[in-house]
Amino acid sequence: LRQDLQPELARYKRCAYCENPLKFQDSHIDHITPVSKGGLGTLRKTVLVCSKCNLSKRAKILRRFCVDAGLNYETVIVRLEMVGKEV
């Protein structure tokens, strides 16, 4: 799955959550909706993010993660949709 997500990182070279620069070798796969909450491991439901965001998001829903991380939820949604994700 990680290899299949790599082309997205070529288009948008940043973490979709915090916008820090992101290299493929440092990226983590995040299930936008956690598996524990019904999320699927498909290309449209996963995204490459930085380790800091992935490790702090854990099993949180996206809105809760954004609040806890001080990120603008609506802006994150726009970035995810920009790279073709279903949110």
Side-chain angles (χ1 to χ4, degrees), residues 8 11 43-45 79-86:
E8 295 173 7
R11 286 188 317 224
L43 289 176
R44 297 193 35 98
K45 301 284 188 172
R79 283 196 293 265
L80 289 170
E81 290 174 343
M82 181 180 73
V83 294
K85 302 302 173 181
E86 291 178 11

Side-chain angles (χ1 to χ4, degrees), residues 7-62:
E8 295 173 7
L9 195 53
R11 286 188 317 224
Y12 191 73
K13 296 173 175 41
R14 297 183 171 277
C15 173
Y17 297 154
C18 70
E19 286 203 293
N20 283 330
L22 184 62
K23 294 181 181 176
F24 180 72
Q25 63 269 21
D26 300 326
S27 66
H28 286 212
I29 296 172
D30 182 59
H31 293 80
I32 298 167
T33 301
V35 172
S36 63
K37 297 188 175 38
L40 302 174
T42 65
L43 289 176
R44 297 193 35 98
K45 301 284 188 172
T46 55
V47 65
L48 293 176
V49 297
C50 70
S51 61
K52 181 181 176 186
C53 283
N54 191 50
L55 296 173
S56 65
K57 183 173 178 275
R58 301 176 45 127
K60 296 176 186 176
I61 62 169
L62 186 58

Side-chain angles (χ1 to χ4, degrees), residues 65-83:
F65 164 70
C66 288
V67 168
D68 291 351
L71 301 172
N72 182 300
Y73 175 75
E74 299 300 326
T75 302
V76 170
I77 295 294
V78 168
R79 283 196 293 265
L80 289 170
E81 290 174 343
M82 181 180 73
V83 294

